[in-house]
Amino acid sequence: MTNPYSNACDEALLDRYLDGDLSADEKARMEAHLEGCRQCRRQVAAIAAFSQDLRDRVQQATDSVDFMALEKQVLNKALRQRRSRGGLSTFIGSLKYTIPAAATAGLLLFFAYSNYMPKTAPVPSAIINSFTGSMSSVMIFETPETRQTILWYNEDTNTESEQDAV
Amino acid sequence: MSKTIQNRIVHDEELVFQLQRGDEWAFQLLVRRFRKKIFSIAFGITLNVEESQDIVQEVFLQVYRTIGNFRGDASLSTWLHRITVNRCLNWKRRWVRRFKWPHVSTDSTDGQPAAEPESDLPTPETRVVSAQTRQQIDNALKMLPDQARTVFVFRELDGLSYEEIADATGIKLGTVRSRLFHARRRLKEILQPLVEEEEK
């Protein structure tokens, strides 16, 4: 630990020294400590050298990049993005008016049809079947809405037949 | 920060205003002004030239898409730093998923890296590393936890203050100091054998 007041090593303070975060007084004391402490000196030198190597390494990598080509790529992609967004927003924008217009037209057609179309009377449209028996007659016919069945009963019952049945 | 285009000085505030209006020359100026800075941060974190170029593109395209949401609470530069960091960390996660790349948890701040699994697959680094020094730097940086490395790169490459790093990474000031402290402590441990070797 490099405490400038006690002249002992203080790792945290050494860290702040590396960041240039010490007051003038703290810095002077730290430098005095470093003169007499080989271990701290080596640590400062190692970190400083590493930082410099890192900066050189990044600079080397930066020099290897064609930034004009990179810029061109970015601009082209941005332009494409803008165009596709423009197309999509135009389509969405057109939907904003088309959908309500279509819905309104649909509603108008519906009301016009239900109000102005002539209503058909529920008359029979076809007789499906009919037969006449001794006691009753049956007629089945259709209207546009339903299928109806009508029964007629013969009131003059045949007594002989009834007696035969008993 | 300001720069000239068409013989005119444009400050960052005006640049943002022009970008929000959709001016294309403003976007070009933004790219030209920040491309190297973003690349160097991306490279410091990823240690890969190709991926860093992709990250630069992604950052600018994200800015292009979302500039309308930029309210100016932070500076343009801080906002760009923040997007870059997020992109870099996402990139790292992608590689971890794809190749089980040697990875130190972002939650880990004790500086203890995970053991490197052996793999025959080419890592992003091995494609660009050639010299011994470069390899030593890359290896040392790789052994730092992601967040500690990010803070270290901002401090050493960009010379950002603790406050600026806190803004760019979205962490507290005390956490910035702590991560920087742990990053340097870990680097000292890593570099110690190399220093001793050189002294022999």
Side-chain angles (χ1 to χ4, degrees):
Chain A
M1 300 284 267
T2 313
N3 185 336
Y5 300 101
S6 67
N7 212 29
C9 298
D10 183 336
E11 212 180 342
L13 212 66
L14 193 64
D15 210 50
R16 285 179 54 209
Y17 173 75
L18 285 164
D19 281 334
D21 195 37
L22 295 183
S23 67
D25 186 41
E26 285 174 323
K27 189 181 171 193
R29 286 171 186 271
M30 173 57 80
E31 281 168 355
H33 170 81
L34 286 172
E35 274 183 34
C37 181
R38 186 167 178 263
Q39 178 66 18
C40 286
R41 248 192 347 262
R42 280 172 57 183
Q43 286 189 5
V44 170
I47 290 294
F50 180 81
S51 297
Q52 188 55 52
D53 284 346
L54 175 63
R55 281 191 286 274
D56 293 346
R57 169 94 175 84
V58 172
Q59 187 57 53
Q60 203 175 24
T62 307
D63 291 344
S64 73
V65 174
D66 181 353
F67 281 101
M68 283 313 287
L70 185 66
E71 180 181 310
K72 206 173 170 182
Q73 276 182 316
V74 173
L75 294 176
N76 284 339
K77 283 184 182 175
L79 203 64
R80 275 205 300 273
Q81 213 173 67
R82 187 180 201 166
R83 279 181 191 148
S84 65
R85 258 196 322 183
L88 187 67
S89 62
T90 308
F91 176 67
I92 291 169
S94 67
L95 285 182
K96 210 163 59 178
Y97 299 104
T98 310
I99 291 173
T104 310
L107 279 172
L108 285 172
L109 280 172
F110 174 75
F111 285 119
Y113 179 80
S114 54
N115 286 327
Y116 299 109
M117 283 300 283
K119 287 191 172 95
T120 52
V123 292
S125 56
I127 293 170
I128 304 300
N129 207 351
S130 69
F131 63 90
T132 307
S134 58
M135 287 185 66
S136 63
S137 300
V138 177
M139 182 188 283
I140 301 168
F141 62 90
E142 270 186 352
T143 67
E145 284 85 23
T146 55
R147 171 178 283 207
Q148 306 281 349
T149 307
I150 298 174
L151 296 172
W152 288 271
Y153 288 96
N154 193 351
E155 288 183 356
D156 298 329
T157 52
N158 190 338
T159 49
E160 284 178 12
S161 299
E162 282 177 2
Q163 282 165 1
D164 289 344
V166 173
Chain B
M1 183 183 276
S2 62
K3 194 169 181 174
T4 58
I5 192 162
Q6 297 166 344
N7 299 321
R8 197 161 73 82
I9 293 174
V10 181
H11 296 277
D12 280 356
E13 294 77 17
E14 191 192 343
L15 186 60
V16 169
F17 177 71
Q18 300 291 351
L19 282 167
Q20 287 178 332
R21 282 181 48 189
D23 286 352
E24 284 185 19
W25 70 263
F27 184 64
Q28 187 177 359
L29 178 57
L30 175 90
V31 175
R32 197 161 293 179
R33 185 176 290 179
F34 289 101
R35 62 193 184 183
K36 283 190 181 174
K37 183 174 270 192
I38 291 173
F39 175 83
S40 65
I41 294 165
F43 182 77
I45 297 172
T46 64
L47 301 167
N48 181 282
V49 175
E50 289 80 13
E51 297 290 351
S52 300
Q53 289 183 72
D54 287 348
I55 288 168
V56 170
Q57 292 195 36
E58 288 174 8
V59 169
F60 284 123
L61 291 174
Q62 186 174 340
V63 169
Y64 190 74
R65 280 195 305 272
T66 59
I67 188 69
N69 303 333
F70 181 72
R71 296 190 307 271
D73 296 339
S75 70
L76 178 63
S77 171
T78 301
W79 190 49
L80 287 168
H81 281 140
R82 205 175 291 166
I83 296 172
T84 308
V85 169
N86 288 336
R87 289 278 167 180
C88 290
L89 296 181
N90 283 343
W91 169 85
K92 186 76 190 293
R93 286 185 203 114
R94 269 204 313 264
W95 272 101
V96 170
R97 278 201 299 273
R98 217 179 291 167
F99 293 122
K100 299 197 183 307
W101 203 47
H103 174 67
V104 179
S105 165
T106 53
D107 299 329
S108 166
T109 50
D110 60 6
Q112 297 301 317
E116 287 195 14
E118 286 186 11
S119 169
D120 293 328
L121 291 166
T123 65
E125 294 93 331
T126 55
R127 282 186 273 141
V128 291
V129 171
S130 57
Q132 192 185 359
T133 312
R134 281 192 262 165
Q135 194 148 17
Q136 283 169 356
I137 294 166
D138 289 5
N139 289 341
L141 278 175
K142 263 197 324 182
M143 292 171 86
L144 295 178
D146 292 343
Q147 305 286 14
R149 181 167 67 243
T150 302
V151 169
F152 183 77
V153 164
F154 272 135
R155 178 70 205 149
E156 296 300 327
L157 283 183
D158 232 15
L160 295 191
S161 67
Y162 295 154
E163 288 82 2
E164 287 168 325
I165 296 172
D167 282 345
T169 52
I171 56 177
K172 290 178 183 169
L173 202 62
T175 313
V176 173
R177 286 180 197 275
S178 157
R179 284 187 183 161
L180 205 48
F181 177 76
H182 283 293
R184 288 206 177 106
R185 175 185 269 182
R186 183 72 190 122
L187 281 174
K188 282 175 211 164
E189 290 167 6
I190 297 163
L191 298 171
Q192 190 69 25
L194 299 172
V195 173
E196 283 171 2
E197 205 172 289
E198 278 178 14
E199 285 180 351
K200 279 177 190 172

